[in-house]
Structures are given as C-alpha cells and as structure tokens.
Amino acid sequence: MLTRFGTRAEFPGSLSCQNVDDLTFSKRENARTGASMVAAGRIFLSHASEDKDFVQKVYGRLDASSVFYDTKTIAPGQATLNAMEKSVGESSVFVLFHSSHSEKPWVDFEKDQARIHKILDSRTKILVCPIGGASHSSLPDWMKRYWTTTADYKVNDIVRAIIHLQDQTLIDAGVPKEIFVGREDLTRGIELDILSAPTQVGTPLQHLILAGIPGMGRTSVARSVVNTSFSGMRPAGPVFDLPDMAEAADIHLRLMEDLDGALSKQEIERQLSAFQRLGPEEQASMVLRSLSHWAKLNQVVVLRTRWGLRDRSRNLKPWLEALFRLSTEVRNLRLVYISERKLPAEILAHVKSARQYEVTDLSEQNIQYILSKKTNSRYFDMDSAVAISKKIRGHPATAHHVAFLTNSGLSLNSMDLNPEPIYAFQDKTLDAIFSSGILEPIQKKILTILGWFPKLPLNLLTELIGSNDRKNLVDKVWDLLDYSLIQLGEGGNYSVPEVVAARIRRDSDMDSASLFTAVRKLIEARIKAGHLEADLIDALIIAVVNLEGVIPEELRSVLTGSNLLSLVTEQFQTAKTLPKKQTEAFRRVYTLSKMAIGMRTSDDAVEQILFTGGDAAIRGGIYPEDIISFMSEKALPSVYYLIGSHAFYIEKDYGKAAKNLSTSLRLKHFRNRNVRLLAKAYIRDQKFSAAKEALDKIPDFQLFRDTGLLVLKIRSLRGMRSFKEAQDLEKQLDVAPDVFAEKSIYLAGRAFRENDFPTARKYILAAKASPKGSRLSIALLECAIAIEEGDLSLLAETVELALAAGRHYDAWQMQARTAIKKRDWGEALALLSRIDRKDYFDLHLESRALQIKKEEADIARDPAALAEIDARIEAILVAGYKTIDGYRDV
C-alpha cells in the first residue's frame, strides 16, 4: 500500500499516488471562498488520443473531480470546442503530455488556449511531460522554458509532480500555509550539518533520522528540511508510510509498487519468497537499486516507520547498516527517516553519511503563536490561548487540533474550562505507545515516577525502583530514551515530556502515597547529608505537599515565586483531570499555594498562586480563610471572585455571591467566568433582569459559541417572561457546541415539563454523550421521567447520589414525586415543605399533591378546607409564573 492522501497536508505534492479526493476537495473549496481564480486547483490534461493508455494511468491516480481529461469530462449537451476552451481557462494547472502525436489541431488548440490563460493569470502552472521519446525541440517556444518531467519519470512520479503544482496554486489562491515555529534552531543546525558534511567527514549527508514521540512535528521538520536544506533538488519526491516494525522486504515491496504499479497476490508472494532468501547485504543492494531511481531524478525520499530501524537489542538492523554503507556509491541519494525510536548514537557515530535529530516539545509561547495563526481571528481570545497553551504541554499537533475544534464550533474558553477534548486527543496520539505492549512493567514504573516528579537522577531512580540489577535498569532507561518517552537533561537528571507526564498522571494506578513517602525520605536524607540539589527542590515540594506534611523551613529560602506558580498551576490542572480522589488533590493544591504568603515575589505572581489555591480549596469544600484574608489585606482584586464562588457553591448565599461577583466584574478580572457565575447567582435568586444585564456584557459572537452562557440567557429571558426573545435564542442552540451538555439538559427539562418523555429521553442520551455533562443533573432528569412512567428502579441510587452531593432539595423532590405517583399527598407535601427555595418542578408537584388532597372524601365535603387549598393552588400558579423550570440546576 502506498502513502495515503492524508499525508499530503504534511508533504504537499509528495504522494505515492493513492486516491486523493477528500483533501483535494477540501483545499479547493477553501481556496474558492477567498480566491479570484475561477477554479483553484483544477487540472487540465492535454494529450493526443494515441497516448490515452498512458495518460489514463495518470488520470486514474488523480482526483477526478478536479481534472479535465477528455470528452468524457464534458457536461451533456455542451459543445466540445466551448467545453475545451472553458476548461483550459478555468484550470490552474495545465499538463501537456508531449509526444510525436502531439502535433494535432485539438492539442495545438489546447496549447494556444493555455498560453492565453497564462498571460491573463500569471499564477497558472504549466507542466510538460515528454513521453514516447519526444524531444523538447518540437515544443512551441513559449513552452520550452517551463519545468518539465523527464523520460525517467514513472507514472507515479508524474502524478506527484502534478499534485505539487496543484498545491502551489491552492496556496497562491489563499489556502493558509502550515505554521512552522519553534524549530528554527533545529532546522538551521540540520542545514549547517548538510553543508559542512562533505568537508568535515569527507562524504555528503545522505541519511537524516528524525525521532520523537507522535505529534511533536517530525513531519513538519522533514518537510522544512526537504524544502530548504535540499532546495537544489527537484520537489515532489515520494513519501512512504511503512509498517511499525518494517523490514527490508516491506520497503522493497513499497518501492516496487510505486515504480511498477500495483502487484498481484501471486507477484507479492513471488517477490517475498525471493527477497527473503537474500542476505542482509543483498537485500540492502536490492532496495538501493530501487531508491536509485529517485536519486537519478534528484529527489528526496521520505520513509516513515515507527520502530523499524533497529531491533530490541539497540542494534541497527543488518540490512540498514549495509544500506548506509553501500549508499555512498549512489550520487544524489537523499533519505529522510521519520521514526519514534531513536537509533543508538554510539553506532551512528561511525556512520559518516547519517545523522540523527530529536524533535522535542515546543515552548508555551510558540504554542500560543500557532493557536493565534490557526484559529479564526473572530474566535481567538488571547487570555484563553495562554491558559490552553499550558494544557497543550508543548504538543504542536494538539495546538492544531484545538484550532480546528475552535474553528468548528468549540470556543477557546469552553476548552479552557473543559480540557477533555485536549486530553482525549493527546491520549489517542500516545495510545499506540502505551497500549502496544512494547513497555515492560519496570519501564512503566519509571515513567510513573518521572510523571509525578521532575528531574530525578539515575541513582535516585534506582533506589525508588528497588532494583539490584543496575545494568538492566540502565538498559530499560536507554530504551525509554530511544522512544523519546524520557529525556536526559544537563546535570544527569531524567524527566519526561509534559504531554507524556499528563497522560501518566491521568492513567496511573500506582500507589502514589507510598511513592511520595519514598521520594521525600530519599531527598530529605540528601539534605541532611548537606547535598541540597536545586533540581530536587520541586520534587521534594511535590512529595511533601501530596502527603500534606510540613514544608521544610530550609526550602522557603531557596524557592522562587515562578517555581511555586508553575508547581501550583501544574498540580491544579492535574487535580482537575483525576478521575478519583479529586477533593484530596484540590486540598493539596491549597496547601501548596499558601507558601506564597510571605514570599518575596511580585504581587502578580502571589495573586495568581493564591487565587489558584483558593479556587482549589473551594472545589475541595474548604473556605480558604487565610488566603482570602491575606488577599483582602493586599487589595488583590481577584479575592472578590473567591468570596463570591464560596458564597455560591458552599454557603448557598446567592445575594452575597452576586455582590462580590459584581465587584469582581467591575474590576475587569475573569470576565466570562464572572458573568457565568454572577448570572447563575441572580437566576437562583430569581433576579432575572439582573442576570440578563450581566450576560449582555458578553458579545453575541462569544455568547453563541458558549452553550452554557446561551442557556443562562434563555433562562433569564424566560424568567422575565420574554418568551419570543427566548425562543429566538433557542434557535442558536441547534448549532452551538454542547461540551458541558447544558443544551441537552435544558431541552430535556423543557420536554419533561411538557410531558413529552420520548423527546426528553432523546436529549438525555445526547447529554450522556457530552464529554463534561453533569452526571447528577442527567441522573435527576432520567430518574424523574422513570418515576412518572411508574419505574422506581433508579430512585434509591439517585437520591443517594443527590444527598452525597449536598443536593438535598433534589433528593426530596424525587421522593415527593414518588409519593404523588402513589397518591400519598401527605408524604409529598411534607417533603416539599422542607424545600425553602422552590423551583418550577417543586411548585408543580405541590399543586399536584393538593389536587389529590381535594379528592379525599373528608376534604371534598369541607368548603373551608377546599377554599384554603384553592387559594394555595392560586398562589402556586402566581409563583410558578415568576419562576422557571429547574433554576436550582442551572
């Protein structure tokens, strides 16, 4: 199988000719939206009928929707002459298959039209493909100066040349170029190595190995190297995707297929049988004969194989070692290998024609730059980009994925609040490594330790692992280095890339308490011995805080504000993603953040540290009195949000929450976050006009991209009885992303209120599919529907869940609903009387209970009692008119 077209976004024009429909169409449509060209990317194949058999092979490997080939491509009823004239004029790539048969009126007509079109639009690309031994001398003079293929070009080579020009026209028409930042030093170094190799080592640099974990941009670096360092070579060389553990036989078949066309099953069996009988030297020689084709064309070949360049014993595969040695005899041979597993440096040191480079993570600043360039300017928010860059953890592929999600409907702000799409993408990217079985238990343990503790030396790792076989441990560490899963920094300390650390922390089932204890004891022993290494300070703080121990006094004098801020932020983000023991994790962040009190550092750093710690404390169910007191004394404005957040979530004092959140909003801190919580507080206090006024501070383009804010505004309008305006806004819910399931929960509640249970269940299923939907809110609605349908199987579990979350009102409402279904109006009214702040559903249930009460024989003949009940039902109707459905559950 040849390179798939998905590669084309990474290596434009470098296909090994497979179906190219999807991305070509996408690029062409993107170009049309802002281009003056009639059909950016359209290709016209000009040829004589005698050459149709050859041209048909080329046509069959191109996207038929973007190619004018022959009369079959003409629309029914369209005149041939007009169709040809129109098609040449609309094409941005004109390809002439020049042969001894080309001197024909139709072909001459097409050439003349191409010349006119080139004059009218200089961006038009001309490609001449001489076939059948034709010479350039018989070409029109104006065509002789254009880049052409040669007689040595195979069908796939011509296809790649055409696609290369097609990509150039798409770029000219406005398709954004890929963002390539943060690799300048690396690519500059590679270029200098290529330039200096002939004089320094006596031979050209023919083999470049680019290693690193998936998503770090190895392919982007390869593309840059091909375009710049090898700019003197012809573009559009082939890119081959090979099996993970590719052998020489795999490469042999791929090269043969590209050069000679698809192989039959019998031919593949024959080739494999013959090739596998050859020795390593002969196999390398056979592969080299095929690669020499592109050396003759002066093109770079790219090979991608995840783990196929060396064996488990850290040795080069024999055929590859022979290929390195034999290739020096082939002039112009240039190969770029993209691999996850590095080749052993000690062996490569003796291979003069090969050099290896590791592509590592990017800085947060570079990630922010990628986001700014890839995200539609209407949706880009710098504050959110800064926050998201921390979650992306230097992983360029994730930055591109986030930009794609933002342009498709998710807001940067919603992804900041709910990073699940980010983490899911990263986990999927790394899953092949962690789920492939290539890692041994001891290696997983090493990764777990380094995932929690940065910068640990090998001797400390050895003690933590408890291994007496140091040589075996070193071998396992070397393997992890080869996979780029760990890094060796200056001073001999090992660490893991941040994106790997995040994956480890989310999935680790290791006993972290015993690990933290062991690390603390080992580092404290070093301190007592008089060896306080700066790189171990972070690790010790993490260990101590995770054990909720006392921070050693000797560390306070050596800890900087930036170190502490990084640690607090990192630990906070980790706590948010932990599936278990999240409360304990937030409380540890709170403990860690309090080190900033009294620290000599900037007010900005202190505020950010303490705000994060205070937020963590509230999430952990603690009122951070010491942090709030300190921030108030220092007049740090974000303190008002903390006070308001605690009042809302813990005290349930919505007036106090609104007062502090309003102050925070006036100080212009965390606008979206403030507005969201402030609107919730007003709605729960039934101050709907105030909620709408707060939400009006959010521009419509942001509001319509944030389902939570949109639902809040709809609830506010419904509370104000502005139903027409609320209904207009509800239409926007159809296209808004529903990451937190606010839309689905809201619509399920609406359907339930109208007794449309099938529709309500449909939205509940949608809510369950949302990555960050409130499990409790979904469970409450699902249980209420089941009760109304006579199914009490969910009741006990849902009530227990609500009580555990402190949602007593909701638990009592479920029990009251059950009592009503049993026509026990007394139990229902007793339960509902315990709810101080009734929402629509509470009031509706009370009305139903009273209606049942009126049917009691003793009540039915008591006019005074009936009058009292009717008065209460009337009051409920008035109260129901003023409230909205489920305001407690906003």
Side-chain angles (χ1 to χ4, degrees):
M1 185 182 292
L2 301 172
T3 303
R4 293 292 182 188
F5 187 68
T7 307
R8 186 170 164 204
E10 300 163 336
F11 273 93
S14 299
L15 292 181
S16 293
C17 58
Q18 272 289 326
N19 185 292
V20 298
D21 294 354
D22 296 340
L23 193 55
T24 303
F25 176 80
S26 174
K27 283 191 172 185
R28 190 169 62 249
E29 290 304 304
N30 287 339
R32 281 175 178 164
T33 60
S36 60
M37 300 179 68
V38 177
R42 189 154 179 81
I43 302 164
F44 189 98
L45 304 182
S46 177
H47 63 286
S49 58
E50 290 84 352
D51 300 322
K52 186 172 293 296
D53 288 345
F54 180 85
V55 178
Q56 175 68 42
K57 295 177 183 178
V58 175
Y59 173 71
R61 289 161 171 78
L62 294 168
D63 170 18
S65 68
S66 66
V67 180
F68 184 95
Y69 171 48
D70 60 8
T71 53
K72 295 177 184 178
T73 329
I74 298 175
Q78 188 177 20
T80 300
L81 185 64
N82 292 338
M84 293 173 65
E85 183 178 8
K86 183 174 185 292
S87 295
V88 174
E90 288 184 346
S91 297
S92 53
V93 180
F94 180 86
V95 183
L96 172 65
F97 290 90
H98 179 57
S99 73
S100 58
H101 307 293
S102 297
E103 300 296 326
K104 288 193 170 184
W106 282 118
V107 179
D108 286 340
F109 173 76
E110 292 166 357
K111 285 185 273 189
D112 290 340
Q113 292 300 311
R115 184 180 187 184
I116 294 171
H117 185 43
K118 179 67 176 176
I119 293 171
L120 295 175
D121 189 342
S122 61
R123 293 173 296 183
T124 302
K125 310 296 181 184
I126 307 293
L127 178 66
V128 178
C129 299
I131 57 178
S135 85
H136 295 168
S137 60
S138 57
L139 282 171
D141 288 340
W142 74 271
M143 295 191 83
K144 291 179 181 178
R145 56 195 171 94
Y146 288 103
W147 183 72
T148 67
T149 61
T150 69
D152 295 315
Y153 272 60
K154 303 281 189 178
V155 170
N156 284 344
D157 298 318
I158 293 174
V159 170
R160 283 189 286 266
I162 293 171
I163 291 175
H164 172 75
L165 292 182
Q166 183 187 38
D167 282 321
Q168 294 303 307
T169 66
L170 292 170
I171 292 171
D172 292 344
V175 172
K177 294 183 179 179
E178 202 66 22
I179 305 302
F180 184 73
V181 297
R183 307 297 185 193
E184 293 81 3
D185 289 343
L186 176 61
T187 53
R188 191 180 301 116
I190 293 174
E191 185 167 4
L192 291 174
D193 287 345
I194 292 171
L195 291 172
S196 63
T199 56
Q200 291 188 358
V201 298
T203 185
L205 201 53
Q206 294 181 300
H207 306 271
L208 301 180
I209 301 99
L210 300 176
I213 61 175
M216 284 301 179
R218 294 162 299 160
T219 301
S220 296
V221 172
R223 181 179 63 248
S224 176
V225 169
V226 170
N227 291 339
T228 57
S229 300
F230 295 126
S231 58
M233 302 184 73
R234 286 178 180 263
V239 181
F240 295 101
D241 277 319
L242 303 169
D244 288 350
M245 302 294 289
E247 298 291 346
D250 298 299
I251 298 178
H252 170 65
L253 289 177
R254 294 296 192 276
L255 301 182
M256 281 201 68
E257 187 180 46
D258 192 85
L259 293 170
D260 302 328
L263 304 177
S264 66
K265 178 178 179 292
Q266 293 76 13
E267 180 61 19
I268 291 175
E269 291 173 348
R270 191 172 75 87
Q271 286 294 328
L272 281 176
S273 176
F275 190 86
Q276 290 171 343
R277 286 198 297 267
L278 302 176
E281 193 92 2
E282 294 171 302
Q283 288 184 346
S285 179
M286 192 66 65
V287 169
L288 194 57
R289 290 173 191 172
S290 294
L291 290 172
S292 296
H293 167 76
W294 291 284
K296 188 174 182 180
L297 296 185
N298 198 27
Q299 290 182 325
V300 180
V301 178
V302 178
L303 302 175
R304 281 196 273 220
T305 174
R306 296 182 62 198
W307 311 317
L309 300 181
R310 71 163 181 81
D311 57 28
R312 295 282 293 184
S313 60
R314 290 178 51 78
N315 292 318
L316 288 183
K317 290 188 175 178
W319 68 266
L320 182 62
E321 190 174 6
L323 181 69
F324 284 167
R325 186 174 66 258
L326 296 174
S327 64
T328 56
E329 302 299 322
V330 181
R331 188 170 179 269
N332 287 345
L333 179 68
R334 299 293 184 270
L335 292 170
V336 177
Y337 307 82
I338 298 174
S339 175
E340 288 176 24
R341 191 160 64 179
K342 288 183 285 189
L343 298 183
E346 62 274 17
I347 295 177
L348 276 185
H350 302 289
V351 182
K352 295 180 179 180
S353 63
R355 202 72 56 87
Q356 180 170 249
Y357 307 90
E358 184 174 5
V359 184
T360 58
D361 49 2
L362 292 179
S363 69
E364 287 182 10
Q365 187 177 28
N366 284 321
I367 293 294
Q368 292 164 28
Y369 182 78
I370 292 174
L371 289 174
S372 71
K373 292 298 181 183
K374 296 293 291 184
T375 304
N376 188 303
S377 59
R378 292 181 299 159
Y379 310 141
F380 183 72
D381 175 65
M382 191 62 217
D383 291 338
S384 297
V386 170
I388 286 176
S389 69
K390 300 179 187 300
K391 297 178 176 65
I392 289 174
R393 301 171 192 277
H395 197 240
T398 307
H400 288 270
H401 180 66
V402 167
F404 169 78
L405 291 177
T406 306
N407 294 335
S408 302
L410 285 176
S411 70
L412 286 174
N413 183 59
S414 67
M415 275 185 286
D416 178 28
L417 296 173
N418 166 40
E420 188 62 30
I422 296 174
Y423 299 146
F425 176 81
Q426 292 176 343
D427 288 349
K428 183 178 180 181
T429 303
L430 298 174
D431 198 52
I433 295 176
F434 288 93
S435 304
S436 63
I438 64 172
L439 298 177
E440 298 179 21
I442 191 172
Q443 291 176 316
K444 291 182 179 179
K445 190 172 183 179
I446 293 170
L447 288 174
T448 299
I449 293 171
L450 292 175
W452 286 100
F453 297 99
K455 301 180 183 177
L456 295 182
L458 183 62
N459 55 9
L460 202 151
L461 275 174
T462 305
E463 294 182 63
L464 289 170
I465 294 293
S467 172
N468 295 322
D469 188 350
R470 183 179 173 86
K471 183 181 183 304
N472 178 59
L473 180 64
V474 169
D475 287 341
K476 303 309 176 191
V477 169
W478 280 354
D479 280 340
L480 292 174
L481 282 168
D482 290 339
Y483 282 112
S484 298
L485 291 174
I486 66 174
Q487 302 160 344
L488 179 59
E490 295 181 6
N493 288 313
Y494 291 93
S495 62
V496 295
E498 283 196 56
V499 67
V500 174
R503 165 65 186 261
I504 290 167
R505 294 174 188 177
R506 288 194 292 274
D507 292 354
S508 175
D509 55 2
M510 189 174 182
D511 181 7
S512 57
S514 61
L515 173 62
F516 298 140
T517 300
V519 171
R520 186 192 64 183
K521 289 180 177 178
L522 287 174
I523 299 177
E524 285 180 343
R526 291 182 173 224
I527 293 175
K528 291 178 181 178
H531 303 295
L532 178 58
E533 300 171 43
D535 285 336
L536 296 182
I537 293 175
D538 289 351
L540 179 56
I541 292 173
I542 291 172
V544 171
V545 170
N546 276 280
L547 290 168
E548 295 187 314
V550 178
I551 304 297
E553 188 62 36
E554 60 266 31
L555 286 183
R556 293 182 179 271
S557 60
V558 296
L559 188 67
T560 67
S562 58
N563 285 342
L564 182 57
L565 177 58
S566 297
L567 283 169
V568 168
T569 303
E570 176 67 26
Q571 295 293 298
F572 182 80
Q573 297 299 337
T574 299
K576 287 172 65 177
T577 60
L578 290 177
K580 302 175 183 177
K581 299 183 178 180
Q582 195 174 69
T583 298
E584 293 89 334
F586 279 127
R587 291 181 178 183
R588 288 194 292 267
V589 175
Y590 168 52
T591 301
L592 177 60
S593 69
K594 289 191 291 184
M595 291 183 64
I597 297 176
M599 177 176 282
R600 292 184 177 179
T601 188
S602 70
D603 285 349
D604 287 344
V606 169
E607 181 176 20
Q608 188 61 49
I609 294 168
L610 294 180
F611 176 81
T612 304
D615 192 6
I618 294 168
R619 290 169 186 256
I622 299 173
Y623 180 65
E625 185 174 357
D626 40 11
I627 284 181
I628 287 177
S629 176
F630 180 84
M631 293 179 74
S632 297
E633 291 175 6
K634 296 294 183 181
L636 301 178
S638 58
V639 70
Y640 294 106
Y641 183 88
L642 290 179
I643 297 172
S645 178
H646 187 270
F648 182 88
Y649 289 111
I650 309 300
E651 301 175 58
K652 310 295 185 185
D653 186 339
Y654 305 123
K656 179 180 177 181
K659 178 181 177 182
N660 283 279
L661 291 168
S662 296
T663 302
S664 182
L665 187 59
R666 285 198 303 274
L667 296 173
K668 299 181 179 179
H669 278 345
F670 314 114
R671 184 184 64 172
N672 282 16
R673 184 188 296 184
N674 266 296
V675 167
R676 188 187 306 274
L677 194 54
L678 178 59
K680 287 182 179 182
Y682 281 137
I683 289 174
R684 293 195 184 188
D685 219 13
Q686 300 192 46
K687 296 179 178 178
F688 303 113
S689 295
K692 179 182 178 296
E693 184 179 341
L695 289 162
D696 285 341
K697 298 182 185 297
I698 303 295
D700 282 351
F701 78 89
Q702 288 187 8
L703 183 75
F704 294 153
R705 293 176 61 79
D706 192 315
T707 308
L709 291 173
L710 192 56
V711 168
L712 286 173
K713 193 159 188 176
I714 292 170
R715 289 184 183 273
S716 302
L717 291 167
R718 290 182 64 82
M720 296 167 61
R721 326 322 291 174
S722 300
F723 296 117
K724 175 64 170 63
E725 195 174 348
Q727 288 171 356
D728 290 341
L729 273 186
E730 283 181 6
K731 296 175 183 178
Q732 298 293 331
L733 288 173
D734 294 336
V735 295
D738 198 24
V739 177
F740 288 94
E742 295 106 333
K743 172 176 69 176
S744 299
I745 291 172
Y746 171 74
L747 294 175
R750 284 286 307 280
F752 177 60
R753 177 175 177 167
E754 296 164 2
N755 293 321
D756 184 356
F757 299 147
T759 299
R761 287 191 179 279
K762 181 187 75 171
Y763 285 120
I764 285 173
L765 287 175
K768 287 181 175 180
S770 296
K772 276 289 184 177
S774 167
R775 300 301 107 184
L776 177 55
S777 299
I778 296 168
L780 288 168
L781 272 170
E782 190 171 27
C783 182
I785 294 171
I787 291 170
E788 292 298 333
E789 294 179 334
D791 178 6
L792 304 183
S793 61
L794 301 177
L795 179 63
E797 181 183 356
T798 306
V799 168
E800 183 180 359
L801 186 64
L803 292 173
R807 299 272 290 269
H808 296 77
Y809 289 177
D810 294 305
W812 297 333
Q813 186 194 97
M814 291 300 111
Q815 293 171 313
R817 190 178 295 277
T818 305
I820 289 171
K821 290 296 291 183
K822 295 178 178 180
R823 301 189 66 78
D824 186 349
W825 58 267
E827 175 69 10
L829 290 176
L831 287 164
L832 292 168
S833 68
R834 300 164 69 179
I835 301 176
D836 297 328
R837 308 173 65 86
K838 291 184 175 63
D839 72 357
Y840 170 84
F841 291 119
D842 300 325
L843 295 170
H844 181 65
L845 288 174
E846 185 180 355
S847 178
R848 287 172 61 186
L850 290 171
Q851 294 290 354
I852 296 172
K853 182 178 179 180
K854 286 176 63 176
E855 297 172 11
E856 289 285 331
D858 291 342
I859 302 295
R861 58 186 174 80
D862 185 339
L866 288 174
E868 289 177 0
I869 293 173
D870 287 339
R872 176 56 189 161
I873 291 175
E874 183 68 24
I876 288 173
L877 288 174
V878 174
Y881 182 80
K882 293 179 180 178
T883 189
I884 59 171
D885 49 315
Y887 73 81
R888 280 198 311 271
D889 192 41
V890 173

